[in-house]
mmCIF file of all heavy atoms in Angstrom:
data_model
loop_
_atom_site.group_PDB
_atom_site.id
_atom_site.type_symbol
_atom_site.label_atom_id
_atom_site.label_comp_id
_atom_site.label_asym_id
_atom_site.label_seq_id
_atom_site.Cartn_x
_atom_site.Cartn_y
_atom_site.Cartn_z
ATOM 1 N N ALA A 63 42.990 0.092 -25.249
ATOM 2 C CA ALA A 63 41.709 -0.382 -24.725
ATOM 3 C C ALA A 63 41.529 0.044 -23.274
ATOM 4 O O ALA A 63 40.447 0.465 -22.859
ATOM 5 C CB ALA A 63 41.634 -1.915 -24.853
ATOM 6 N N LEU A 64 42.596 -0.068 -22.463
ATOM 7 C CA LEU A 64 42.529 0.335 -21.065
ATOM 8 C C LEU A 64 42.262 1.830 -20.930
ATOM 9 O O LEU A 64 41.483 2.271 -20.100
ATOM 10 C CB LEU A 64 43.843 -0.036 -20.370
ATOM 11 C CG LEU A 64 43.933 0.311 -18.877
ATOM 12 C CD1 LEU A 64 42.840 -0.419 -18.108
ATOM 13 C CD2 LEU A 64 45.305 -0.061 -18.328
ATOM 14 N N GLN A 65 42.904 2.617 -21.801
ATOM 15 C CA GLN A 65 42.687 4.074 -21.773
ATOM 16 C C GLN A 65 41.237 4.412 -22.099
ATOM 17 O O GLN A 65 40.631 5.294 -21.506
ATOM 18 C CB GLN A 65 43.635 4.742 -22.754
ATOM 19 C CG GLN A 65 43.550 6.279 -22.725
ATOM 20 C CD GLN A 65 44.548 6.927 -23.661
ATOM 21 O OE1 GLN A 65 45.238 6.223 -24.403
ATOM 22 N NE2 GLN A 65 44.615 8.246 -23.627
ATOM 23 N N ALA A 66 40.675 3.681 -23.070
ATOM 24 C CA ALA A 66 39.278 3.914 -23.456
ATOM 25 C C ALA A 66 38.340 3.590 -22.308
ATOM 26 O O ALA A 66 37.373 4.292 -22.043
ATOM 27 C CB ALA A 66 38.937 3.077 -24.697
ATOM 28 N N CYS A 67 38.629 2.474 -21.589
ATOM 29 C CA CYS A 67 37.793 2.094 -20.447
ATOM 30 C C CYS A 67 37.854 3.150 -19.351
ATOM 31 O O CYS A 67 36.842 3.498 -18.746
ATOM 32 C CB CYS A 67 38.242 0.742 -19.885
ATOM 33 S SG CYS A 67 37.849 -0.646 -20.969
ATOM 34 N N ASN A 68 39.074 3.672 -19.100
ATOM 35 C CA ASN A 68 39.215 4.710 -18.087
ATOM 36 C C ASN A 68 38.440 5.959 -18.455
ATOM 37 O O ASN A 68 37.843 6.624 -17.622
ATOM 38 C CB ASN A 68 40.695 5.066 -17.900
ATOM 39 C CG ASN A 68 41.458 3.950 -17.203
ATOM 40 O OD1 ASN A 68 40.850 3.137 -16.504
ATOM 41 N ND2 ASN A 68 42.768 3.905 -17.408
ATOM 42 N N HIS A 69 38.445 6.278 -19.757
ATOM 43 C CA HIS A 69 37.698 7.450 -20.227
ATOM 44 C C HIS A 69 36.206 7.261 -20.014
ATOM 45 O O HIS A 69 35.500 8.171 -19.582
ATOM 46 C CB HIS A 69 38.013 7.675 -21.711
ATOM 47 C CG HIS A 69 37.239 8.848 -22.282
ATOM 48 N ND1 HIS A 69 37.547 10.158 -21.968
ATOM 49 C CD2 HIS A 69 36.184 8.878 -23.144
ATOM 50 C CE1 HIS A 69 36.709 10.968 -22.602
ATOM 51 N NE2 HIS A 69 35.875 10.198 -23.322
ATOM 52 N N GLU A 70 35.699 6.047 -20.321
ATOM 53 C CA GLU A 70 34.268 5.775 -20.124
ATOM 54 C C GLU A 70 33.911 5.852 -18.656
ATOM 55 O O GLU A 70 32.866 6.357 -18.262
ATOM 56 C CB GLU A 70 33.916 4.398 -20.692
ATOM 57 C CG GLU A 70 33.976 4.333 -22.218
ATOM 58 C CD GLU A 70 33.649 2.941 -22.723
ATOM 59 O OE1 GLU A 70 33.372 2.075 -21.875
ATOM 60 O OE2 GLU A 70 33.673 2.728 -23.955
ATOM 61 N N SER A 71 34.829 5.307 -17.804
ATOM 62 C CA SER A 71 34.572 5.339 -16.368
ATOM 63 C C SER A 71 34.505 6.769 -15.857
ATOM 64 O O SER A 71 33.650 7.134 -15.060
ATOM 65 C CB SER A 71 35.666 4.562 -15.638
ATOM 66 O OG SER A 71 35.494 4.654 -14.239
ATOM 67 N N THR A 72 35.430 7.617 -16.361
ATOM 68 C CA THR A 72 35.424 9.024 -15.955
ATOM 69 C C THR A 72 34.150 9.720 -16.404
ATOM 70 O O THR A 72 33.542 10.498 -15.665
ATOM 71 C CB THR A 72 36.644 9.738 -16.556
ATOM 72 O OG1 THR A 72 37.817 9.059 -16.125
ATOM 73 C CG2 THR A 72 36.686 11.194 -16.108
ATOM 74 N N SER A 73 33.706 9.419 -17.620
ATOM 75 C CA SER A 73 32.466 10.021 -18.134
ATOM 76 C C SER A 73 31.291 9.602 -17.285
ATOM 77 O O SER A 73 30.400 10.394 -16.986
ATOM 78 C CB SER A 73 32.245 9.598 -19.601
ATOM 79 O OG SER A 73 33.312 10.054 -20.395
ATOM 80 N N SER A 74 31.284 8.314 -16.882
ATOM 81 C CA SER A 74 30.186 7.815 -16.048
ATOM 82 C C SER A 74 30.147 8.547 -14.717
ATOM 83 O O SER A 74 29.088 8.916 -14.221
ATOM 84 C CB SER A 74 30.354 6.309 -15.821
ATOM 85 O OG SER A 74 29.360 5.824 -14.959
ATOM 86 N N ASN A 75 31.348 8.772 -14.128
ATOM 87 C CA ASN A 75 31.398 9.484 -12.861
ATOM 88 C C ASN A 75 30.910 10.919 -12.992
ATOM 89 O O ASN A 75 30.250 11.452 -12.115
ATOM 90 C CB ASN A 75 32.835 9.492 -12.320
ATOM 91 C CG ASN A 75 33.279 8.106 -11.874
ATOM 92 O OD1 ASN A 75 32.435 7.271 -11.557
ATOM 93 N ND2 ASN A 75 34.582 7.869 -11.851
ATOM 94 N N LEU A 76 31.209 11.534 -14.110
ATOM 95 C CA LEU A 76 30.737 12.899 -14.334
ATOM 96 C C LEU A 76 29.232 12.946 -14.408
ATOM 97 O O LEU A 76 28.586 13.838 -13.878
ATOM 98 C CB LEU A 76 31.366 13.456 -15.616
ATOM 99 C CG LEU A 76 32.867 13.778 -15.543
ATOM 100 C CD1 LEU A 76 33.369 14.172 -16.932
ATOM 101 C CD2 LEU A 76 33.146 14.885 -14.533
ATOM 102 N N ASP A 77 28.611 11.942 -15.062
ATOM 103 C CA ASP A 77 27.152 11.902 -15.165
ATOM 104 C C ASP A 77 26.542 11.704 -13.788
ATOM 105 O O ASP A 77 25.529 12.308 -13.442
ATOM 106 C CB ASP A 77 26.726 10.753 -16.102
ATOM 107 C CG ASP A 77 27.117 11.043 -17.542
ATOM 108 O OD1 ASP A 77 27.377 12.224 -17.834
ATOM 109 O OD2 ASP A 77 27.185 10.087 -18.345
ATOM 110 N N THR A 78 27.177 10.856 -12.978
ATOM 111 C CA THR A 78 26.622 10.582 -11.656
ATOM 112 C C THR A 78 26.666 11.816 -10.763
ATOM 113 O O THR A 78 25.787 12.034 -9.932
ATOM 114 C CB THR A 78 27.422 9.443 -10.990
ATOM 115 O OG1 THR A 78 27.376 8.309 -11.848
ATOM 116 C CG2 THR A 78 26.846 9.085 -9.633
ATOM 117 N N SER A 79 27.716 12.637 -10.957
ATOM 118 C CA SER A 79 27.842 13.822 -10.108
ATOM 119 C C SER A 79 26.703 14.795 -10.314
ATOM 120 O O SER A 79 26.452 15.658 -9.479
ATOM 121 C CB SER A 79 29.189 14.516 -10.384
ATOM 122 O OG SER A 79 29.217 15.035 -11.709
ATOM 123 N N ALA A 80 25.989 14.666 -11.436
ATOM 124 C CA ALA A 80 24.871 15.580 -11.696
ATOM 125 C C ALA A 80 23.598 15.130 -10.995
ATOM 126 O O ALA A 80 22.649 15.876 -10.896
ATOM 127 C CB ALA A 80 24.627 15.690 -13.202
ATOM 128 N N SER A 81 23.526 13.887 -10.487
ATOM 129 C CA SER A 81 22.296 13.357 -9.906
ATOM 130 C C SER A 81 21.835 14.103 -8.661
ATOM 131 O O SER A 81 20.632 14.241 -8.462
ATOM 132 C CB SER A 81 22.451 11.863 -9.597
ATOM 133 O OG SER A 81 23.502 11.652 -8.670
ATOM 134 N N PRO A 82 22.722 14.606 -7.780
ATOM 135 C CA PRO A 82 22.207 15.388 -6.647
ATOM 136 C C PRO A 82 21.417 16.609 -7.066
ATOM 137 O O PRO A 82 20.429 16.963 -6.431
ATOM 138 C CB PRO A 82 23.488 15.778 -5.888
ATOM 139 C CG PRO A 82 24.476 14.732 -6.247
ATOM 140 C CD PRO A 82 24.168 14.384 -7.674
#
Side-chain angles (χ1 to χ4, degrees):
L64 181 60
Q65 184 177 5
C67 289
N68 289 337
H69 178 73
E70 290 179 1
S71 176
T72 303
S73 299
S74 176
N75 291 336
L76 289 174
D77 291 342
T78 303
S79 66
S81 60

